[in-house]
């Protein structure tokens, strides 16, 4: 029996790699179909208004996203083009419906998404939309929901935005960390030089730090939000 698909729901291009790129690559190596869904277009918030944003920059960023997805081995990348860093201007119900459509299309058993306490407003809204869209009703295919950290957003909340990130699951990514680094390198406009958290050196250091917590060479830390056992499983 084939393993159920995995869906990563991210707010912006590069969040999917920063948050769980190495875990996603491991899932692919283990034979799962992996889908990346990126809800916001990215980059337009760097302009005074969305109307004057350079559409060529957005197109370039999306090409980078496709290249990064290929490095990880994703089966499909879905881009939704919601307004970058302006998701608080979009009715939450509209975002929820998009995620519900995603779930119906992919039928994932596992979803990875943002943490609710990130500094970035879009990250928190995507978290809320995913939880709403995956309410544990009888026909719901999603059995597990995990929240990841995004370097330069999760830790920069400095616990001033509640709740703080409290990882309780650690994925050994010793064999796939370099796939994450290579995928992030595709994002030429988003990667930064050390000591920025999105630099290759910092990403390796973060993975090594969590690896030291978990007892392996490198790990990604995630927070289990909910897990639903099938009715036939023993407790």
């Amino acid at each position: 029996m084939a393993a159920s698909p995995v869906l990563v729901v991210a707010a912006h291009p590069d969040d999917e790699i920063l948050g769980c790129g190495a875990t996603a690559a491991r899932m692919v190596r283990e034979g799962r179909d992996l889908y990346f869904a990126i809800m916001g277009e990215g980059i337009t918030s760097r302009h005074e208004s969305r109307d004057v944003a350079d559409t060529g920059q957005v197109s370039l960023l999306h090409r980078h996203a496709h290249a990064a997805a290929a490095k990880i081995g994703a089966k499909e990348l879905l881009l939704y083009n919601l307004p970058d860093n302006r998701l608080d201007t979009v009715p939450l119900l509209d975002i929820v419906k998009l995620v519900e459509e995603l779930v119906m299309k992919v039928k994932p058993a596992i979803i990875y998404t943002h943490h609710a306490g990130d500094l970035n407003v879009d990250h928190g809204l995507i978290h809320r939309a995913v939880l709403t869209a995956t309410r544990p009703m009888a026909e719901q295919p999603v059995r597990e929901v995990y929240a990841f950290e995004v370097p330069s957003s999760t830790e920069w909340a400095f616990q001033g935005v509640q709740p703080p990130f409290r990882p309780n699951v650690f994925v050994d990514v010793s064999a796939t960390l370099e796939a994450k680094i290579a995928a992030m390198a595709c994002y030429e406009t988003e990667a930064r030089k050390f000591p920025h958290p999105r630099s290759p050196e910092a990403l390796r250091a973060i993975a090594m730090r969590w690896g030291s917590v978990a007892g392996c060479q490198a790990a990604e830390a995630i927070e289990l939000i909910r897990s639903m056992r099938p009715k036939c499983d023993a407790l």
Side-chain angles (χ1 to χ4, degrees):
M1 182 176 177
S4 300
V6 176
L7 174 63
V8 179
V9 183
H12 314 109
D14 83 356
D15 289 339
E16 79 288 5
I17 304 302
L18 292 169
C20 62
T23 299
R26 174 174 167 166
M27 291 282 188
V28 171
R29 290 192 183 189
E30 292 175 353
R32 288 183 180 268
D33 287 339
L34 172 72
Y35 294 80
F36 284 143
I38 301 176
M39 309 309 291
E41 77 230 315
I43 224 165
T44 61
S45 63
R46 299 173 191 176
H47 299 267
E48 185 174 341
S49 72
R50 192 182 184 204
D51 294 339
V52 301
D54 185 342
T55 57
Q57 289 182 348
V58 175
S59 296
L60 177 62
L61 180 61
H62 290 180
R63 289 198 295 274
H64 292 168
H66 280 284
K71 291 285 186 184
I72 297 298
K75 182 172 183 177
E76 188 173 358
L77 168 67
L78 302 108
L79 299 168
Y80 285 86
N81 293 308
L82 294 177
D84 178 53
N85 276 287
R86 296 182 175 94
L87 291 190
D88 53 346
T89 68
V90 178
L92 180 61
L93 178 60
D94 291 352
I95 306 173
V96 170
K97 287 185 177 296
L98 288 176
V99 179
E100 287 177 337
E101 290 171 4
L102 263 172
V103 171
M104 290 291 291
K105 170 184 169 67
V106 176
K107 293 182 169 52
I110 300 171
I111 287 185
Y112 295 90
T113 193
H114 290 281
H115 186 260
D118 278 16
L119 182 62
N120 188 288
V121 64
D122 288 357
H123 294 185
L125 287 167
I126 292 301
H127 177 93
R128 179 70 179 272
V130 167
L131 284 190
T132 306
T134 60
R135 300 181 301 282
M137 297 182 289
E139 67 275 15
Q140 177 60 250
V142 178
R143 313 309 298 177
E144 298 175 8
V145 178
Y146 295 95
F148 50 66
E149 63 175 342
V150 173
S152 76
S153 177
T154 310
E155 78 279 31
W156 282 356
F158 296 111
Q159 300 191 21
V161 180
Q162 294 298 322
F165 180 63
R166 292 191 175 119
N168 50 22
V169 177
F170 301 88
V171 181
D172 186 340
V173 296
S174 305
T176 55
L177 176 58
E178 290 308 311
K180 171 176 180 162
I181 302 300
M184 188 60 202
C186 296
Y187 281 113
E188 298 171 8
T189 60
E190 309 308 303
R192 299 289 185 269
K193 293 181 179 180
F194 187 79
H196 195 282
R198 296 203 299 266
S199 65
E201 297 90 343
L203 294 177
R204 289 192 182 95
I206 292 167
M208 290 173 65
R209 186 256 172 162
W210 287 126
S212 73
V213 171
C216 57
Q217 291 295 314
E220 282 184 327
I222 51 180
E223 185 172 341
L224 174 64
I225 303 303
R226 72 163 176 83
S227 177
M228 295 291 295
R229 291 175 179 267
K231 289 186 293 185
C232 59
D233 278 9
L235 293 177

